[in-house]
Amino acid sequence: MSHPAQSGSKRSITPMRDSATPPLGGSGEPNWAGPGGGRNRWRWISLSIAVIAVLAAGGYLLRGYWPGGGEPSKGKTAAGIPPRLIRVTPVEARAVPVEVGAVGSIEPLRTVAVRPRVDGQVTEVRVQPGDRVREGQVLFVLDQRPLRAALDQAQAALGRDLASLQNATEDQDRQVQLMAKQLTTQEALDRANSALAVQKQAVEVSRAAVESAKLNLDYATIRAPIPGRIGKPAVDIGSIVRAGDSTTLVTINQIHPIYATFSVPQRYLSEIRTRFGKDPMPVAVRRPGKGNFVAQGVLSFVDNTVDPTTGTIVLRATCENPSENLWPGESVSVTLTLSVDPGALVVPPEAVQTGPRGTFVYVAKPDNTVEYRSVTVDRVVLGSAVITDGVQPGEQVVLDGQLNLINGARIQVVAANSESGTKR
């Protein structure tokens, strides 16, 4: 009798399975009914609950804290959100200027190139480069000796002609007396009259020569024709200068007062022309990139042509510059005041936010909630945003923490000079 182990038939061997691993069905899904299935089921349930909680929290944040604070749907409030600590400020109605800004340049009031009016050699230079000079101040002195000699010669010629005039006058008087006694001829009297007239003209010529010599001598002392600042002198002691040359000895720029020249778009031309010449139009001048005020002036010139290539018109303001804060050639920011809006509604610029639907503010209500308001900002002037609609004078607008607010959110107002409890 043969033993089963020795038979030629094959026997099946069942593999061992870890009791912690759930058996798989024919579909490859976990077999919750097998050993360890309860633990795995709770693991999957816990994971699903965690995912649902994260998604719910994200949706809450997206609804209540979306950057920009887009306007929430009607009827939805934030009654469940704790009060936010915020600062508020009132909407003010005050006079605000209507301004137009431009980039301009500074130009001297007058520029004079000083040139010699007589020939000569420079004997004195009485200024240093960049000096401030007064009108009439001596700048250069030329060699005066040749000019004094010329003056002396002219004066001597005048003296000679005056002596000749005296003789001609006496001769004419004698001829008149003799003619009265019938002791001379008419021809002799006519010659005496002619000689006297010629001599008078000679004296006038000599006097003119003396005056010319005096002027030339005066021109040897070269003075400043205007007050201002000089540049670098082009000559030094010993230089020979000539009246006919184009050489400029030095250039003087008058910088008090001074011009600020700028261009504005042609759409402002009608309003500018209406006011120009009737009321002073203030102009404020500042250096680019800086908020510091430099000078105040008034509009003094409107060009007679609009530039067709740029569509702008050139304007010029005259500014007082006693401390010489403005310098010729300097680039500046220019603000022209066109008019004044007497009752403009203004709020600090930080109160205005931008969202998907445009600019808006949050208005603090008496019941300690906020209301979303769409507003229109016309311009920002002197650190204030001018609003044309959306708010009323006296209403309180939120200054900070807008990103953590929604329509109807409960708030707690803190002092304006303290830090709010929310971060933007």
Side-chain angles (χ1 to χ4, degrees):
M1 185 173 182
S2 62
H3 195 276
Q6 298 175 352
S7 65
S9 62
K10 298 180 180 178
R11 62 176 182 177
S12 61
I13 301 175
T14 303
M16 299 296 293
R17 182 176 69 244
D18 188 356
S19 61
T21 303
L24 299 176
S27 61
E29 296 180 354
N31 185 358
W32 304 115
R39 289 194 301 273
N40 287 294
R41 181 170 62 251
W42 285 110
R43 289 175 184 173
W44 282 94
I45 292 173
S46 299
L47 179 60
S48 300
I49 293 174
V51 171
I52 293 172
V54 170
L55 293 177
Y60 171 78
L61 292 175
L62 288 175
R63 289 194 306 272
Y65 297 91
W66 183 261
E71 183 181 8
S73 301
K74 293 183 178 179
K76 294 184 179 180
T77 64
I81 303 176
R84 302 293 181 182
L85 301 179
I86 54 94
R87 296 181 300 135
V88 298
T89 187
V91 178
E92 297 181 358
R94 65 168 183 258
V96 177
V98 178
E99 300 174 337
V100 55
V103 175
S105 61
I106 300 301
E107 298 178 359
L109 186 71
R110 289 184 291 176
T111 298
V112 174
V114 180
R115 293 188 175 93
R117 304 177 73 173
V118 293
D119 300 344
Q121 185 179 33
V122 179
T123 58
E124 295 182 47
V125 178
R126 296 190 182 180
V127 290
Q128 298 296 322
D131 277 355
R132 179 191 294 178
V133 297
R134 307 178 310 275
E135 183 177 356
Q137 180 177 337
V138 176
L139 307 177
F140 306 94
V141 177
L142 306 182
D143 187 1
Q144 298 181 354
R145 292 173 297 176
L147 301 173
R148 289 190 182 277
L151 175 59
D152 293 341
Q153 185 177 2
Q155 289 175 335
L158 175 60
R160 180 196 58 199
D161 291 338
L162 287 173
S164 298
L165 176 61
Q166 181 64 28
N167 290 334
T169 301
E170 293 175 354
D171 183 59
Q172 193 264 352
D173 288 341
R174 285 194 298 268
Q175 291 298 326
V176 170
Q177 294 174 4
L178 292 174
M179 189 64 183
K181 298 177 181 180
Q182 299 294 321
L183 297 177
T184 186
T185 63
Q186 184 63 42
E187 181 180 0
L189 179 59
D190 292 340
R191 284 197 301 269
N193 290 334
S194 298
L196 177 61
V198 170
Q199 202 57 46
K200 286 181 179 180
Q201 295 299 319
V203 169
E204 295 300 324
V205 171
S206 296
R207 284 176 175 166
V210 170
E211 293 299 322
S212 178
K214 287 181 179 180
L215 283 176
N216 289 338
L217 181 60
D218 185 63
Y219 291 157
T221 303
I222 301 174
R223 303 175 184 273
I226 61 172
R229 287 277 183 176
I230 67 169
K232 183 179 182 300
V235 296
D236 207 339
I237 296 176
S239 301
I240 302 296
V241 297
R242 300 187 182 279
D245 290 347
S246 60
T247 301
T248 299
L249 304 182
V250 74
T251 299
I252 304 176
N253 285 332
Q254 184 175 353
I255 57 179
H256 172 57
I258 202 166
Y259 287 139
T261 301
F262 57 101
S263 298
V264 299
Q266 63 182 1
R267 65 177 179 271
Y268 298 109
L269 179 58
S270 177
E271 187 171 359
I272 291 173
R273 291 189 60 206
T274 301
R275 288 195 56 196
F276 183 67
K278 298 178 181 178
D279 301 317
M281 301 185 68
V283 175
V285 179
R286 295 176 175 85
R287 289 190 174 90
K290 299 181 181 179
N292 60 315
F293 172 80
V294 179
Q296 182 74 37
V298 294
L299 188 66
S300 57
F301 169 77
V302 179
D303 202 0
N304 60 357
T305 304
V306 174
D307 189 339
T309 60
T310 61
T312 59
I313 185 167
V314 176
L315 307 177
R316 176 183 289 170
T318 303
C319 305
E320 295 298 322
N321 193 34
S323 301
E324 298 182 350
N325 292 326
L326 297 175
W327 209 251
E330 185 178 14
S331 295
V332 293
S333 296
V334 181
T335 303
L336 171 66
T337 300
L338 298 176
S339 59
V340 176
D341 186 354
L345 299 181
V346 297
V347 298
E350 57 268 26
V352 182
Q353 300 293 305
T354 302
R357 301 184 63 179
T359 54
F360 67 93
V361 298
Y362 279 111
V363 178
K365 307 295 288 184
D367 60 354
N368 291 328
T369 62
V370 293
E371 179 183 350
Y372 175 99
R373 295 275 188 88
S374 295
V375 296
T376 301
V377 179
D378 182 65
R379 62 194 185 279
V380 177
V381 181
L382 301 177
S384 298
V386 179
I387 298 180
T388 57
D389 58 54
V391 293
Q392 297 297 325
E395 289 186 316
Q396 302 286 330
V397 294
V398 177
L399 276 179
D400 56 6
Q402 293 94 331
L403 299 183
N404 293 330
L405 296 176
I406 60 173
N407 192 47
R410 292 186 294 123
I411 59 170
Q412 179 179 346
V413 177
V414 298
N417 57 356
S418 66
E419 294 184 359
S420 66
T422 58
K423 294 184 180 180
R424 296 168 62 181

